[in-house]
Amino acid sequence: MPPVSPFRRTEGDVLRIVGAAGPHSARIQEVLPDFPPESTGVAVRSFLDNRQASVDDRRSGLASEDGQIARVLRDLPLWSQAFTPLSRHGRAIGLMIVTRSEVRPFQKDELDLMRGFADQAVIAIENARLLNELRQRTTNLTESLEQQTATSEVLRVISSSPGELEPVVQAMLENATRICEAQFGILYLSDGDMSRFGADVGTPPKFAEFQRQRGVFPPRPGTVSNMSC
C-alpha cells in the first residue's frame, strides 16, 4: 500500500498535525493527538535532536510503549517509518513522518529525497512568514497614514473655522467613522451634567432626527453617553 505521511509543525508548545497524505490520512488527523516536544518517542527524539531517523519495524516497538500516542498508533497500519525534521537555522520547526503499511525499510536515496522535500517545506514556510509580516507592516503603515491624514483634515477645519465648533466635531466624527470602518457614528457633547447631540455620520434618519430633537438629556448610568475618560 502507498505510504502514509503526516506533517507536524510546532504551534505554541505542541507538535500539531497540520497536514497528511495517503489512504489513512483522514483517520490519522482525526485520532492522533498533539504532543509536547518533551514527550518520549522516536518522533520527538528526531525533532529534538534535529536529526533524521528511520525505523524498520515501528509496530514491534509499540507493544512495549505506554501512553495515549502508543495506544492510538497500535490501531493504525504502521510498520516502516522515517522521521525528517524541518530545520531552520539549526533548529527543528516541524517534522515530516512517512510510514509504510509493511516492513520495507527506507533506503538512503529515499531518505535523501525526504530531506530535500523538508528543505523545500521550510522555504515555503519562511516565505509565508515573510509575506505575512510584509502584509502586517503594509497594514500598519496604511493605518498610520490614514490617521495622519484624518488629523490633518481636522486641523485644516479648525484653522479654517476659528471659533466654530460644529464643523470641527463633524470632521472629527467623519474621520473616526471612516477609519474604524463603522456604518454610522454619533457624537454627543457634554453640557454641564447633561449631554446633547453634537454630530452624526450615516445615522439612520429617524434615529438621527430623534437625537436632534431630544435636546439636552441626563446620561443614564451604564450607557455610552455616561462614560468619561
Side-chain angles (χ1 to χ4, degrees):
M1 294 182 66
V4 177
S5 306
F7 181 99
R8 288 187 180 269
R9 184 180 174 186
T10 50
E11 291 189 4
D13 56 355
V14 298
L15 277 169
R16 176 164 297 155
I17 291 181
V18 294
H24 303 284
S25 58
R27 175 165 170 73
I28 284 177
Q29 289 184 288
E30 177 184 353
V31 301
L32 277 182
D34 303 333
F35 54 79
E38 66 267 15
S39 63
T40 60
V42 177
V44 173
R45 196 73 265 156
S46 173
F47 174 82
L48 292 178
D49 294 343
N50 193 24
R51 180 179 300 174
Q52 188 179 48
S54 62
V55 178
D56 293 347
D57 187 352
R58 182 79 171 92
R59 182 164 292 277
S60 64
L62 286 175
S64 59
E65 294 184 22
D66 296 323
Q68 179 187 5
I69 295 176
R71 289 193 295 271
V72 172
L73 292 179
R74 280 195 285 268
D75 293 332
L76 296 172
L78 308 180
W79 297 94
S80 295
Q81 280 191 308
F83 306 86
T84 306
L86 279 64
S87 179
R88 185 177 68 196
H89 305 313
R91 179 175 174 270
I93 61 171
L95 187 69
M96 180 173 65
I97 306 172
V98 178
T99 303
R100 282 175 171 153
S101 54
E102 60 182 339
V103 177
R104 183 157 55 92
F106 291 95
Q107 303 302 306
K108 182 180 181 304
D109 59 334
E110 294 173 321
L111 296 174
D112 290 342
L113 183 62
M114 292 176 205
R115 280 195 291 267
F117 286 145
D119 291 341
Q120 292 175 14
V122 171
I123 292 173
I125 292 171
E126 182 68 8
N127 286 343
R129 183 186 66 83
L130 293 174
L131 181 60
N132 288 335
E133 289 183 356
L134 178 60
R135 286 173 176 167
Q136 186 60 52
R137 285 198 296 269
T138 300
T139 299
N140 292 342
L141 288 173
T142 301
E143 291 176 351
S144 177
L145 179 60
E146 289 178 347
Q147 293 170 8
Q148 292 178 23
T149 300
T151 300
S152 298
E153 290 177 0
V154 172
L155 291 175
R156 178 183 57 78
V157 173
I158 292 174
S159 63
S160 63
S161 307
E164 297 182 44
L165 180 61
E166 183 176 341
V168 175
V169 296
Q170 186 68 36
M172 291 171 55
L173 183 59
E174 288 176 355
N175 282 284
T177 304
R178 175 176 55 81
I179 291 175
C180 295
E181 299 180 350
Q183 291 182 321
F184 64 89
I186 295 179
L187 188 147
Y188 296 100
L189 296 174
S190 176
D191 192 349
D193 294 333
M194 308 291 279
S195 294
R196 63 182 175 86
F197 174 84
D200 78 289
V201 174
T203 310
K206 289 185 178 180
F207 184 57
E209 185 63 23
F210 166 76
Q211 295 295 341
R212 291 189 183 94
Q213 293 182 357
R214 70 188 301 195
V216 295
F217 59 92
R220 294 199 306 269
T223 61
V224 174
S225 57
N226 191 47
M227 296 180 181
S228 60
C229 297

